[in-house]
Amino acid sequence: MARVVARSAVLERLCCLAAVAGAIWSVFVGFPSGRGVGTGVGTMLVIQPIAVVLSLPVFVLLLQGQSDAPMLAAVSAAALAWKEARPARAGAFTALALVKPQLLLLLPALFLVRRSWRAMVAFAIGCVALVAISLLVSGIGAHLAWLPVLSPWA
């Protein structure tokens, strides 16, 4: 998003470093999480996509089933859609990135601040669709069983 919003390569790389540092030293787990590989690969996917696709870390990332890469790919697609003045697509891709909702708190706020109602509506529709699909696939019981797991974090 730094590339789209600020149009600065330096700011883009600083945001990438911040994302990787946040994944390695997460405040949500008391700092020592050490899970920055997926985030690092995802941020490099934005900067040097061909080099990343051909690299060993991508193979390992896919082999281990990390969720960071799909989330960052969706955010990257949203940034490209925003850059191409396609706000509805940007909102829809942002909704697809809800694999990691804690990393997306500011994107809907960006849509509201920029008064991009198409992006906000597409984001909301995408969120509702993902919840509906999740309920159809796993049922309400799985979601209710998940609440006690989440309650210590609330």
Side-chain angles (χ1 to χ4, degrees):
M1 291 304 285
R3 178 184 292 178
V4 175
V5 174
R7 295 187 179 110
S8 167
V10 173
L11 182 61
E12 177 183 41
R13 277 138 181 97
L14 288 174
C15 287
C16 289
L17 286 173
V20 173
I24 294 172
W25 300 288
S26 175
V27 296
F28 298 108
V29 293
F31 290 111
S33 66
R35 306 283 299 199
V37 174
T39 306
V41 171
T43 56
M44 288 305 298
L45 186 62
V46 174
I47 297 171
Q48 290 291 332
I50 294 173
V52 171
V53 170
L54 299 175
S55 70
L56 179 64
V58 169
F59 175 73
V60 173
L61 179 82
L62 295 174
L63 187 66
Q64 291 181 349
Q66 297 290 324
S67 62
D68 293 342
M71 189 275 306
L72 287 170
V75 170
S76 299
L80 289 174
W82 188 269
K83 181 181 177 183
E84 295 173 355
R86 297 183 180 266
R89 284 187 186 178
F93 281 124
T94 301
L96 289 177
L98 284 175
V99 174
K100 298 269 188 173
Q102 71 273 19
L103 300 177
L104 294 178
L105 296 176
L106 295 178
L107 289 180
L110 174 69
F111 296 153
L112 290 173
V113 168
R114 307 254 342 231
R115 298 180 191 262
S116 181
W117 307 124
R118 286 185 181 186
M120 200 62 208
V121 167
F123 176 74
I125 290 170
C127 291
V128 169
L130 290 174
V131 168
I133 291 169
S134 176
L135 287 171
L136 287 172
V137 170
S138 62
I140 190 73
H143 292 279
L144 293 176
W146 186 242
L147 290 177
V149 175
L150 294 177
S151 63
W153 295 93

